[in-house]
Amino acid sequence: YKGGEHMNFEQLIYVKSVYEQESMIRASELMHISQSAMSQSIANLETELGYSLFYRSRKGTIPTEIGKRLIPKILEILEAKEHLMLEVERLQTHITGKLTIATIPTLFHKLLPKVISQFKVDYPNVDIEVIESDRENIIKMLRNNEIDLGLIGKKESDKTMSLIHEFPLNLSTNFKLIVPAKSKLTFKDTVNLEDIKDYPFILYDRSFYHHHLKKFEEENGELKIVFRTHNPIVLLRTVAEGLGVGMISSYMIEDEPILNDEYIEAIPLGHPFDYSVYFTAIVNDNRKNETSLLRFIDYLKK
C-alpha cells in the first residue's frame, strides 16, 4: 500500500457510523464532515485492507460479504478503545476522602460487602464507614448531615421526602414467612398473621416490622414472641432449630444455604405484608451531584 495515511481511529469511527446509519450522507452529517471526505477516508482504509467494506444498494449503503466479517472486528477495536479511556479516566479520578453510609440490615448483609470490595479496588483512597440502622434513623442522620449516603427500603405508595434526593437501585423485595422444614404451615399457599398467632414467633427486631406487628397486636391480641434478634442469620438458625417462625425479606434469603439444605422453608405472606419494598439510595438534595457519591451509587446499581 503506497501513499495516504495508515489505518486510524477516525476511519474506523466513520465505518461504524456508515454501518449504523446505512447511509454515507446521514453518517457524514452526523460526524459533521463532508460526504466526499468521509467517502475518501473509508476508501483509503479499504485500499489498505484490500477489500471493500460497503456497497450501494436500493436499501442504502450496506456491508459486503467481507464487510460482514471485518466490521464486527472494527466495532471490537472501538469498544476496546472506549474501555481503555474509561480505565485511564478512573486512574485520573483521584477520589479521596471518607464516605459514611447508613444502611438497613438487608442491604448491609446482602449487597454492601460485594460493592465496597469492588469500589475499594478502583478507589483505594476512599475510606468507607458503614452504620447499620433502621429507616427512620437513617433519614434523620441524613438530614442532620451525620452521614453522606443512606440506603433504605420504601413502598411505592410512600411519599417523597423533602430536601432528599433518591436514586432507585432497581432492586426490590417482598416478604416471606420462614418456618421449620415440614411445618404444617408449608401446606398453605400464603400465610396471614392470623394463621401464626399461636406459633412461637421470632422477631427480627426492626422498626419496620414493629410498625406492622404492633398494629396487628392491638387488633388481634399479642403474638407469642419468644426471641428477638437484630441478626438475620441468627433468625434463620433459630427457625431451623424448630424454635419458632419468623419474617424476612425474600432478597435476604436468596442463595441462602440454610434454605437450600432444607432446614427451613419460606412461604409467601398475605395481608398485611403482601406488597413489595423498593431499595433506594438517598442523599441530601444539595449533594446529589458529588462525584464520589454518584460513583458509589453506580457501583450499587451494577
Side-chain angles (χ1 to χ4, degrees), residues 37-165:
M38 180 179 271
S39 181
Q40 186 55 56
S41 183
I42 291 176
N44 290 345
L45 175 65
E46 289 176 322
T47 307
E48 185 176 349
L49 295 173
Y51 293 101
S52 291
L53 297 172
F54 297 103
Y55 73 96
R56 297 285 299 276
S57 81
R58 285 205 311 279
K59 282 169 63 184
T61 305
I62 55 175
T64 58
E65 283 309 308
I66 297 236
K68 285 177 189 168
R69 287 175 60 179
L70 298 182
I71 292 169
K73 300 285 179 216
I74 287 173
L75 299 179
E76 276 171 28
I77 292 170
L78 290 172
E79 231 168 72
K81 181 193 178 203
E82 208 170 297
H83 289 314
L84 171 70
M85 297 324 289
L86 275 173
E87 199 54 46
V88 169
E89 188 196 332
R90 262 186 192 161
L91 294 171
Q92 289 168 344
T93 317
H94 299 301
I95 300 181
T96 56
K98 186 175 179 184
L99 271 186
T100 306
I101 300 164
T103 174
I104 53 173
T106 305
L107 297 176
F108 179 80
H109 287 271
K110 290 294 281 190
L111 182 67
L112 269 181
K114 284 191 213 101
V115 172
I116 290 172
S117 73
Q118 189 54 58
F119 190 80
K120 291 294 273 181
V121 170
D122 295 335
Y123 303 104
N125 301 325
V126 179
D127 291 322
I128 295 176
E129 183 193 347
V130 180
I131 302 161
E132 188 184 0
S133 190
D134 58 46
R135 187 187 144 158
E136 283 70 27
N137 206 29
I138 291 171
I139 294 168
K140 200 167 96 192
M141 287 192 281
L142 192 70
R143 290 194 192 285
N144 296 340
N145 285 314
E146 292 163 36
I147 57 170
D148 304 304
L149 179 69
L151 301 177
I152 61 169
K154 54 180 300 202
K155 292 200 286 197
E156 210 159 1
S157 56
D158 286 349
K159 295 191 288 291
T160 51
M161 297 162 275
S162 60
L163 305 177
I164 285 179
H165 191 83

